[in-house]
Amino acid sequence: GAGVSQSPSNKVTEKGKDVELRCDPISGHTALYWYRQSLGQGLEFLIYFQGNSAPDKSGLPSDRFSAERTGGSVSTLTIQRTQQEDSAVYLCASSYRLAGEETQYFGPGTRLLVL
Amino acid sequence: QKEVEQNSGPLSVPEGAIASLNCTYSDRGSQSFFWYRQYSGKSPELIMSIYSNGDKEDGRFTAQLNKASQYVSLLIRDSQPSDSATYLCAVKTGANNLFFGTGTRLTVIP
């Protein structure tokens, strides 16, 4: 079956512009995560959606970042007034839980470059 | 102090040897622990999860968890050149937040 997909795969934007990144999780996965990974760094948690519950936004670095998940499926991460330090790979992952164990699948990521 | 700490390496082992990757975490209440493999330019892929103290084996991989010492490790037996990658340790604290280490880069020398 199809895995997690993300679009666009690459995005180059100018400082101050807004960008939208999209994530299509695996069908049936109730949990969805957004992370970002800067060059040579580990993954930084941004936001978590679980079913219809209120999202955990504790990882969003500033109020320029927001995300939504419509209908419990597709998610959009929006960065307003982009800054050069926002340049990173933005990764989405969806997961399911079976017999108490969670399995998380990552999408290919969106490489964002802010000039 | 970071939530999850790993030796960044690089760790080099000869083909056929055992590679040992280590990770410590700061939140004593953490319950879920994961090892991911990330090839250069690719997304992480889950290779092992462990939830209780002790060892968990899956093929050539063994995850070891010691909650008292706040330590989780990954052993790769009979290392192959295709195992060369960055290995990320991740720890779930609370209900949602998954903290990743910065990864250990492993090189298996043919």
Side-chain angles (χ1 to χ4, degrees):
Chain A
V4 178
S5 61
Q6 292 186 245
S7 60
S9 54
N10 291 281
K11 176 72 177 178
V12 180
T13 190
E14 293 178 347
K15 178 182 172 181
K17 301 279 190 181
D18 298 351
V19 295
E20 272 193 3
L21 312 179
R22 177 187 167 105
C23 172
D24 278 275
I26 294 174
S27 177
H29 284 194
T30 57
L32 187 148
Y33 300 78
W34 281 99
Y35 301 90
R36 71 176 175 183
Q37 187 173 32
S38 302
L39 189 64
Q41 301 296 312
L43 275 74
E44 177 187 2
F45 167 79
L46 297 178
I47 189 168
Y48 166 80
F49 295 90
Q50 172 62 54
N52 295 320
S53 303
D56 178 349
K57 304 179 182 180
S58 59
L60 294 178
S62 78
D63 59 8
R64 296 187 296 104
F65 288 73
S66 63
E68 61 179 25
R69 189 179 184 192
T70 54
S73 182
V74 171
S75 178
T76 303
L77 177 69
T78 301
I79 310 173
Q80 295 178 309
R81 305 181 303 281
T82 52
Q83 303 295 310
Q84 289 179 331
E85 61 263 28
D86 299 334
S87 298
V89 177
Y90 288 81
L91 291 161
C92 172
S94 70
S95 71
Y96 70 93
R97 187 175 286 272
L98 183 64
E101 296 212 0
E102 180 179 9
T103 302
Q104 205 177 67
Y105 295 87
F106 280 84
T110 293
R111 283 165 176 72
L112 174 65
L113 177 61
V114 182
L115 300 175
Chain B
Q1 182 187 5
K2 291 183 180 178
E3 295 282 346
V4 179
E5 303 236 26
Q6 294 180 254
N7 187 329
S8 62
L11 173 67
S12 295
V13 299
E15 184 173 356
I18 295 175
S20 177
L21 304 161
N22 304 314
C23 173
T24 58
Y25 59 95
S26 61
D27 188 334
R28 188 170 286 280
S30 300
Q31 295 294 322
S32 306
F33 307 86
F34 307 87
W35 282 99
Y36 290 81
R37 177 175 61 199
Q38 186 173 27
Y39 292 111
S40 181
K42 301 294 186 183
S43 299
E45 56 178 322
L46 180 68
I47 52 175
M48 290 285 287
S49 59
I50 187 166
Y51 300 87
S52 54
N53 279 327
D55 295 0
K56 180 181 178 184
E57 188 174 318
D58 184 0
R60 295 186 296 110
F61 298 96
T62 299
Q64 298 174 317
L65 175 61
N66 184 326
K67 289 186 179 180
S69 300
Q70 295 174 238
Y71 175 95
V72 59
S73 66
L74 179 71
L75 300 178
I76 307 174
R77 289 182 299 283
D78 187 24
S79 296
Q80 302 297 308
S82 59
D83 295 327
S84 298
T86 295
Y87 289 80
L88 301 169
C89 171
V91 175
K92 198 161 196 180
T93 62
N96 308 322
N97 207 338
L98 191 61
F99 287 98
F100 282 80
T102 53
T104 298
R105 189 155 53 93
L106 171 68
T107 301
V108 180
I109 304 166

